[in-house]
Amino acid sequence: QETVAIETLTDGFHLLIDALKLNGINTIYNVPGIPITDLGRYAQGEGIRVLSFRHEQHAGYAAGAAGFLTKKPGVCMTVSAPGFLNGLTALANATTNCWPMILISGSSEREVVDLMQGDYEEMDQLAIAKPLCKAAYRILHAEDIGIGVARAIRAAVTGRPGGVYLDIPGSLLGQAMDAIEGRKSLVKVIDPAPAQLPAPDAVARAIDVLKGAKKPLIILGKGAAYAQADDVVRELVEKSGIPYLPMSMAKGLLPDNHPQSSSAARSLVLKDSDVVVMVGARLNWLLSHGKGKQWGEPYSKKFVQIDIEPKEMDSNVEIAAPLVGDIQSCAQALIDAMGPDWKKPPTGWTDAVRSKVEGNIEKMASRLQGNATPMNYHSALGVVKKVFEDRPDTILVNEGANTLDFARSIVDMSKPRKRLDVGTWGVMGIGMGSAIAAAVETDCPVVAVEGDSAFGFCGMEIETICRYNLPICVVIFNNNGIYRGDDQNRSGSADPATTAFVKDSRYEKMMEAFGGVGVYATSPDDLKRAIFEAIDSRKPTLINAIIDEAAGKESGNIGSLNPQSVVAQA
Ligand SMILES: Nc1ncnc2c1ncn2[C@@H]1O[C@H](COP(=O)(O)OP(=O)(O)O)[C@@H](O)[C@H]1O
Ligand SMILES: Cc1ncc(Cc2csc(CCOP(=O)(O)OP(=O)(O)O)c2C)c(N)n1
Ligand SMILES: [Mg+2]
């Protein structure tokens, strides 16, 4: 048997890394461990940025957020079984948000799993992942790594983006093969997210519906932000003259203070509009499924929907003009079909919307002033609003209940993809992973405005933030509890209320423990000074902002989703 010179060989470790690099993947968010620790080391050695977290769920949230921000699949890498399961929540969340992400998990050999022989961290991961993500693949042979990675990348970004699971049995990594053959087996994915043009008759139908509108509305969703079709989206809105309503992560596609923004008149435009154009937004629970009193008279509206996913049409209500395709292509087609003399909507409608917007903004303005202590959500968010007016490149991460609901309407965004939040599911705990990805992928300063409970889901990652010295300022709205801090346990039992925390928790000392800057802020002036200092210094900072514990309400704006007990009321 002739001995083969080692330099003529490659192996699974290096083929996987070469395949990722060949396709422009330059960052891996992971938690090391058997069997992927060396994979992370070799990847780092080959120039891939490998960030190690404290828990796989947050590495996964970072990967999903990276996918939203870059249109490339964010990659999360975990160990088998428990590590895989920790990453799975984030993979399912990315899939629900329509964000491209790949979860690469080490796994046990098939023959052991299929005989259930009790391997170290044994689990049939592929079977478990399949129903929770867009696609799932396992690679068994080194020569298949190139095609396996290519399939995962294409599946993540083509059509409606989503999460993909890539199962890597430990023995695959150690498989050696001829280096030249290995290089030939790699695949560079060509045009992974091809343009999907709308059919001309679909465009004509949409124009017809729009021409008949007296009170049209455009709703921009996070799909429109993800598409990075910013210029055509802006042109479509401005050329049409139609008032628009941005969903939370579409804020900033046009500046929130744009004259056609109807955010501050949301109730009026949802109720009184007669034609609604959905652009990369779904009529799901966030829009009350397009029906009910919020939407005025039943069946009183016509919907035009732009979406890359054909099956999204008629998901909740009849779509009069389905426009299936990618947002860039669809928006451009509408603009072209509108021609040079497009008639703007009646001023009776646009003036009514505008005056409602201006009235509500004025009413809110007075609540955002003042330097009283303890702060409430409005006075604290009045400060955050000012910060983002002065530092428009800063990225806002936001989660909580009251902390989320008030911030969404009070803090204006002026640039696209500058707001990351709880997404379609309303997931608590996305904050630190999202903040880390935002800082790593954009190098912009990040301010994460966190409810104190939401922070509790991901707080240990402030050590990760300090270890990589990231320009992240965590602002905890500390109202001593989930939703509020004064709530007595309604069941009357002696144990602490289900939603209250240790009074006056000193979260800022956690950040100091890892070498970051900790601030205890009791007034709006304290808060403003500390946030500007954090942004300008780019030092990892945690500001413990003390909020009146009676200031919030249970579940913020969505308390009505709670089931009610008839027995308990009796
Ligand atoms: N490039 C794209 N072109 C068209 N539609 C897209 C594109 N990317 C994502 N989408 C669609 O955008 C929609 C996003 O909806 P959703 O997540 O509900 O947004 P929001 O929560 O902001 O309303 C999804 O239905 C998805 O299929
Ligand atoms: C994974 C997961 N588990 C629980 C929940 C349920 C929930 C929704 S909002 C929230 C925290 C609200 O308290 P917080 O202090 O953050 O904000 P504030 O209202 O300002 O006091 C919880 C626990 C969700 N959505 N996701
Ligand atoms: Mg709270």
Side-chain angles (χ1 to χ4, degrees), residues 377 399-403 426-428 450-455 457 477 479 481-484 501 553:
Y377 288 101
E399 58 177 343
N402 299 282
T403 301
V427 178
M428 287 305 115
E450 299 273 307
D452 45 345
S453 164
F455 176 72
F457 286 81
F477 276 22
N479 66 337
I482 303 180
Y483 314 131
R484 50 192 294 159
F501 298 145
K553 57 181 192 276

Side-chain angles (χ1 to χ4, degrees), residues 160 221-223 226-227 247 280-282 284 307-308 325-327 424:
R160 169 182 275 181
K222 57 178 170 293
Y226 169 81
M247 300 300 285
R282 283 173 288 193
N284 54 22
D307 205 295
I308 203 160
D326 70 272
I327 285 166
T424 301

Side-chain angles (χ1 to χ4, degrees), residues 71 96-98 159-161 219-224 226-227 247-250 278-284 286-287 305-309 312 325-328 423-424:
K71 293 184 81 174
T96 303
N97 282 337
C98 310
R160 169 182 275 181
I219 297 182
L220 301 175
K222 57 178 170 293
Y226 169 81
M247 300 300 285
S248 69
M249 280 189 267
M278 308 293 295
V279 185
R282 283 173 288 193
L283 279 166
N284 54 22
L286 288 163
L287 283 167
Q305 185 156 16
I306 297 178
D307 205 295
I308 203 160
E309 172 50 62
E312 188 56 36
D326 70 272
I327 285 166
Q328 173 75 35
T424 301

Side-chain angles (χ1 to χ4, degrees), residues 555-567:
S555 292
N557 293 350
I558 60 171
S560 60
L561 296 182
N562 268 314
Q564 301 300 320
S565 161
V566 288
V567 174

